[in-house]
Amino acid sequence: MPSRILLRATASVAGSLALALSLTACGGSTDSGSSDSGKGGEKVVTVYSADGLKSEKGDGWYDKVFAAFTQKTGIEVKYVEGGSGEMVQRAVREKTNTQADVIVTLPPFIQQADGKGLLKAYTPQGADQVNGADKAADGKWTSVVNNYFGFVYNKKELAQAPKTWEELLDPKYKGKLQYSTPGVAGDGTAVLVKAVHDFGGKEPALEYLKKLQTNNVGPSSSTSKLAPKTDKGELLVANGDVQMNFAQSKSMPNLGIWFPAKDGGKPTTFALPYAAGLVDKAPHTENGKKLLDFLLSEESQKLVSEVGGGFPARGDVKPTDANAIELTKLMGGVEVFEPDWADIDKNLTSYVDAWKSATGS
């Protein structure tokens, strides 16, 4: 088993964001017709998704986009939410009686879904404006919202954000630190991916995470539950991702976002997009295609930063809203590396098993 998960060179996040916000090209359009498609002509589409894009208050990106989709097409969206791994596992269990039409997860779980034969090739309208690294070459999945991995901290209890992984070993974080479970939650798996990169290999990363376990509260299947605990002061530090935590911070005044660095190094992160695919043998395939088209439409993509606090997947959509400006500042000075997702997908089980062994989880 390879000792390193991450092989690609790093690049500055500022440059990455500038590229994401400045690329221009001819835009596609969405077919918003309301023709019947699906068994029995049912006007419904079922989405299995990782958490983070829907708001409990009903003002999240999914809330706005799904409502607009239903208004335009007459197709009702049925929504099921959970951790990325949880959603894939549920879809696998249902393969003989498929329930989902569209699945949305973070890497490497979208690759895992493909590897388990869950996805059917479909290239949504507008996918030509999505960067090649953010979609499958065979059309099995396409990113609909770009995002980056990060951590959160309580701004009221901590005068400033921690800077390094090593700081988190301080006894003051005992029982006040938590990260979601690798192999179950996409953001939890991202903790392992980033640690391997920052510490220079699997073994030193696991050695560190073994030490960190002394302060760790314990497992969590969902990352979104950790931000409210951090805002209330139940936790001082937790993992997350920029899009979800930025959106949550609008109603959680004590929530701050930061990016850990190895002692003596620079803060790093990597892209962790919400990637969507059409489920094979779905009960409402044509409705699923319509929804994927709509998620990548210019209309929906323009709301990604303004409403969702994320980054558009389409390079030709260049947001200038206040959130987009604030997000660019937040990411300034942070280096972005590109994980080898093919390697992570291939070896995910062994990496997670090694993490369980090291941490006693």
Side-chain angles (χ1 to χ4, degrees):
M1 181 172 57
S3 62
R4 292 187 63 111
I5 295 179
L6 310 154
L7 305 177
R8 302 291 183 88
T10 60
S12 75
V13 71
S16 175
L17 285 173
L19 180 64
L21 295 174
S22 65
L23 285 176
T24 57
C26 297
S29 61
T30 296
D31 177 6
S32 58
S34 58
S35 64
D36 72 331
S37 41
K39 294 179 180 178
E42 289 181 295
K43 308 285 284 185
V44 66
V45 61
T46 299
V47 178
Y48 284 7
S49 178
D51 49 6
L53 293 175
K54 196 173 192 303
S55 168
E56 292 183 0
K57 296 182 177 181
D59 57 356
W61 187 69
Y62 270 162
D63 301 287
K64 301 288 186 181
V65 171
F66 288 168
F69 175 73
T70 299
Q71 183 177 14
K72 285 199 169 188
T73 66
I75 299 170
E76 177 190 358
V77 180
K78 292 187 176 180
Y79 179 73
V80 178
E81 179 180 282
S84 289
E86 180 185 358
M87 292 296 93
V88 172
Q89 291 165 12
R90 177 167 176 165
V92 168
R93 292 195 300 269
E94 297 171 349
K95 280 187 77 171
T96 58
N97 182 27
T98 308
Q99 301 296 308
D101 302 300
V102 170
I103 189 166
V104 185
T105 76
L106 306 181
F109 295 98
I110 196 67
Q111 290 88 346
Q112 186 182 84
D114 186 18
K116 292 182 180 296
L118 294 176
L119 305 181
K120 179 182 179 66
Y122 177 67
T123 302
Q125 296 179 36
D128 58 320
Q129 303 298 334
V130 176
N131 185 282
D134 297 328
K135 60 187 177 184
D138 61 1
K140 291 291 185 64
W141 56 268
T142 306
S143 296
V144 293
V145 171
N146 277 342
N147 192 16
Y148 294 90
F149 176 66
F151 272 65
V152 292
Y153 74 104
N154 182 293
K155 295 191 293 185
K156 183 178 179 180
E157 299 294 331
L158 298 175
Q160 62 181 15
K163 290 185 173 138
T164 68
W165 288 102
E166 287 81 1
E167 286 182 54
L168 301 183
L169 299 176
D170 191 297
K172 75 178 181 181
Y173 292 107
K174 186 174 178 63
K176 291 285 189 175
L177 176 149
Q178 190 173 18
Y179 62 91
S180 51
T181 308
V184 176
D187 288 323
T189 305
V191 172
L192 185 56
V193 171
K194 178 169 159 57
V196 170
H197 172 269
D198 288 0
F199 284 90
K202 185 184 72 173
E203 296 307 323
L206 292 176
E207 182 180 347
Y208 167 80
L209 291 172
K210 180 179 181 179
K211 295 177 182 176
L212 186 65
Q213 197 66 11
T214 300
N215 289 342
N216 189 18
V217 170
S220 174
S221 62
S222 175
T223 314
S224 64
K225 297 176 181 178
L226 304 182
K229 293 181 180 180
T230 306
D231 179 63
K232 294 174 184 176
E234 295 174 26
L235 298 172
L236 293 178
V237 170
N239 71 311
D241 61 69
V242 173
Q243 177 278 323
M244 177 174 65
N245 296 143
F246 185 84
Q248 290 172 317
S249 70
K250 298 302 182 181
S251 60
M252 299 179 189
N254 299 320
L255 200 66
I257 300 172
W258 68 289
F259 305 91
K262 175 74 173 64
D263 192 21
K266 295 181 178 180
T268 68
T269 188
F270 59 95
L272 203 61
Y274 291 89
L278 186 69
V279 177
D280 190 35
K281 299 181 177 62
H284 311 100
T285 296
E286 294 305 314
N287 293 348
K289 291 178 180 179
K290 289 180 182 295
L291 179 61
L292 288 172
D293 287 347
F294 195 77
L295 293 176
L296 270 183
S297 68
E298 290 187 58
E299 175 185 348
S300 298
Q301 289 290 299
K302 287 176 179 177
L303 295 176
V304 168
S305 59
E306 181 182 350
V307 174
F311 307 82
R314 288 180 57 150
D316 62 336
V317 174
K318 306 175 291 296
T320 57
D321 58 90
N323 283 351
I325 294 170
E326 192 174 344
L327 284 164
T328 300
K329 291 179 180 178
L330 172 68
M331 304 285 288
V334 182
E335 291 188 349
V336 174
F337 61 89
E338 186 177 326
D340 184 345
W341 290 117
D343 175 70
I344 296 169
D345 177 41
K346 179 181 178 181
N347 296 291
L348 181 61
T349 299
S350 61
Y351 291 138
V352 172
D353 286 346
W355 170 82
K356 288 178 179 177
S357 177
T359 61
S361 300

